[in-house]
Amino acid sequence: MIKSITIITSLENHNIAIDNQLHKVVVDLSQVNLLNCNSFDIKIIFSQNITQVRDHDYIWKKIKTDFIANEFSPKIVKLENDQIVQANITAGIWEINPGNPSVLLWRFNPQFASPITDYLGNENRKSILQAKQKFDFIEVPTLLFPENNAIELSRSKYPFTAIACFTDHCDFDTSENLKVQREFFNEHQIKITKGFFLNHFSKRQDNASFQNQKEELLKWKNDGHELCYHSLSQSIKTNIESFEDFKEFIPPREDIKVWIDHGYQPYNFSLFKNNKISEEEFSSILKDKKINVLWNYIDAGTSTNGVINQLNTKHFTLYSFLKGSKDTSLIEKTQFIIKNIIFHYYNEEYLILRYKNTASRFKKIVFQKDIKSFLPFIKDFFKLFSSIFSVLLFWNTNKTKPYKLAKYSPILFKHNIGKNEFYVFQTLEMLDFKKALSEKNMNSLINEKGVFIAHTYFSVPLEYHAGKLFSTSTSIDDEVADNFKFLANKIKSEEIWNPTLIELVEHWTNFEKVVFDIDSSRKIFVKDNSCLIFRKFV
């Protein structure tokens, strides 16, 4: 059933001898020194074409577009003769191109599968780097050929249901609105991972912090929510003071394990390399303070109508976002599509800076009558326009391409800093709760058994933020409240699991421990399922 197996690294390829047993094929990795690899592929060529795949929504589908199955989706396919093929472990990514249906790539940490944001240089230029990973497999990667059944795992604690997780940034939290938020979410029994500033050092005197609002924030924890660090303060101190705070701060509780970067704090996960602190020292400080989960400072996209499931790459295309803005004006649509082309489709720092420079110079020309900005504006504008036009010129091809930082659905992955290993998560920006949490979106999430980790600002007061939680400084918007009520009912009926972030991370770490095997009569079984829910199917 298998013609060839090749291990591909950045330096060389290795053809692997195949022991074509009837029920399994073990991939011999002994020829490859994986200690020196941060990425490699196993290329498997079958003697027959792959005709069906088990998708992220646990449904058999024919291959019409590129197929991606990450660590939390089934790695199960069918060949032309209806033979099922299943991976023995969850590690890595399966990728199939419909133009080459006899080839299966089993990929480990390919580019953009585990992206990390680094801000480097004097101007904090953004770079997207690959996570550093070790390949310590619980068992050698193996292909299983069961006679009848395959086995799939539930991502949710409620069997094969959707997952809704909220991580809230506290940039606009005050003593007053913190209480309103907490009472609102308690009324609907919705759990939040609530970010907080440990120290009160802010450009806004009414900003909430653990230093000043300890009692209220501890009520969040007592009510079942999770507390997480949003750096240590709203505003930035000098580098010396900032690193003193970072090295010396005492965790207010030992169960705070999540760190979410805020702004350009010099000790941030995304910025520490730009400062005089080693990876070893940085990781040791985090570990000493019981922190082991970090945000990669990346959103897969911005949630809108039809954009909600981080596992479904079809949600993260220009076409999906354009459909999600169909109720806006032509000018707003144009702005929306240009921003998505620059910030998500390309996601290249030089284009983002050019976009910002063009906008800034345009404002100077119009509002400040700054004639000196005209020529630089024209230069940036035409360079920017050429990049946008090249996408629009081949719109039918480009409109359905997944954004590169959403292609592999990198919701959660590992990353090594110094001698320590951390979990890193990626988010879905969620600003407009009227669109993001609409009944249609929630039903879509349920039907797709989807997942989101939302990046929210529940207390944002800014007028231009449509669909925000608060209609006034102390009142919840009625339409948004109705959407949360609908979500709450779906959580109560166990159609959606609503974990805190650390609950989700700790549950999903069990995927690393799962091993499937097959006996000589070709019956597949779970060798070690680590308490995850599973089911057999044909």
Side-chain angles (χ1 to χ4, degrees), residues 343-385:
F343 286 89
H344 294 298
Y345 182 86
Y346 282 117
N347 205 330
E348 296 287 353
E349 182 68 359
Y350 76 94
L351 276 178
I352 293 171
L353 289 174
R354 186 165 288 155
Y355 172 86
K356 290 178 178 178
N357 288 339
T358 302
S360 174
R361 284 167 179 151
F362 177 78
K363 290 176 183 176
K364 286 181 179 180
I365 293 166
V366 173
F367 299 111
Q368 299 176 21
K369 312 301 180 185
D370 184 359
I371 304 302
K372 292 180 181 179
S373 296
F374 183 73
L375 287 178
F377 164 76
I378 293 296
K379 183 180 178 181
D380 280 337
F381 174 81
F382 278 106
K383 287 182 178 179
L384 194 66
F385 178 78

Side-chain angles (χ1 to χ4, degrees), residues 170-174 197 200-209 212 234-235 262 457 459-462:
C170 57
D171 299 37
F172 305 97
D173 282 356
T174 64
F197 298 125
H200 183 76
F201 184 76
S202 175
K203 56 193 174 187
R204 291 191 292 270
Q205 283 305 308
D206 63 347
N207 245 152
S209 64
N212 291 345
Q234 164 72 277
S235 299
H262 166 68
Y457 298 87
S459 58
V460 64
L462 305 176

Side-chain angles (χ1 to χ4, degrees), residues 296-479:
N296 70 350
Y297 224 123
I298 295 170
D299 294 311
T302 302
S303 185
T304 185
N305 295 320
V307 179
I308 192 63
N309 179 11
Q310 283 178 258
L311 280 172
N312 189 345
T313 57
K314 292 177 183 177
H315 286 208
F316 300 96
T317 66
L318 293 172
Y319 185 59
S320 289
F321 279 87
L322 185 60
K323 285 199 301 181
S325 64
K326 64 183 179 182
D327 59 346
T328 59
S329 68
L330 180 60
I331 292 175
E332 288 173 322
K333 279 190 180 73
T334 303
Q335 292 173 332
F336 196 68
I337 201 66
I338 288 173
K339 282 188 175 181
N340 271 273
I341 289 172
I342 299 300
F343 286 89
H344 294 298
Y345 182 86
Y346 282 117
N347 205 330
E348 296 287 353
E349 182 68 359
Y350 76 94
L351 276 178
I352 293 171
L353 289 174
R354 186 165 288 155
Y355 172 86
K356 290 178 178 178
N357 288 339
T358 302
S360 174
R361 284 167 179 151
F362 177 78
K363 290 176 183 176
K364 286 181 179 180
I365 293 166
V366 173
F367 299 111
Q368 299 176 21
K369 312 301 180 185
D370 184 359
I371 304 302
K372 292 180 181 179
S373 296
F374 183 73
L375 287 178
F377 164 76
I378 293 296
K379 183 180 178 181
D380 280 337
F381 174 81
F382 278 106
K383 287 182 178 179
L384 194 66
F385 178 78
S386 65
S387 297
I388 295 168
F389 183 71
S390 66
V391 173
L392 299 178
L393 185 63
F394 301 101
W395 176 251
N396 286 335
T397 299
N398 295 326
K399 68 180 182 180
T400 55
K401 284 183 181 178
Y403 298 153
K404 63 184 181 183
L405 298 185
K407 176 181 177 180
Y408 292 107
S409 303
I411 305 172
L412 182 70
F413 52 90
K414 289 182 176 181
H415 174 56
N416 290 285
I417 308 174
K419 296 179 181 178
N420 295 309
E421 189 172 67
F422 297 83
Y423 286 96
V424 179
F425 67 99
Q426 183 163 301
T427 48
L428 171 65
E429 186 179 44
M430 191 174 289
L431 304 173
D432 188 336
F433 300 108
K434 293 179 181 179
K435 291 182 177 180
L437 300 181
S438 67
E439 289 190 17
K440 188 174 182 180
N441 265 18
M442 290 302 94
N443 285 328
S444 171
L445 189 76
I446 290 167
N447 292 335
E448 294 182 7
K449 283 71 175 176
V451 178
F452 70 72
I453 300 177
H455 163 197
T456 64
Y457 298 87
F458 285 133
S459 58
V460 64
L462 305 176
E463 286 300 320
Y464 63 83
H465 274 246
K468 57 184 179 288
L469 181 66
F470 282 86
S471 56
T472 71
S473 60
T474 56
S475 303
I476 304 295
D477 181 272
D478 290 339
E479 187 178 341

Side-chain angles (χ1 to χ4, degrees), residues 132 134 136 278-285 287 415-422:
K132 295 178 182 178
K134 295 177 182 177
D136 299 322
S278 68
E279 287 196 2
E280 287 72 19
E281 184 180 6
F282 180 80
S283 67
S284 295
I285 290 169
K287 282 295 183 180
H415 174 56
N416 290 285
I417 308 174
K419 296 179 181 178
N420 295 309
E421 189 172 67
F422 297 83

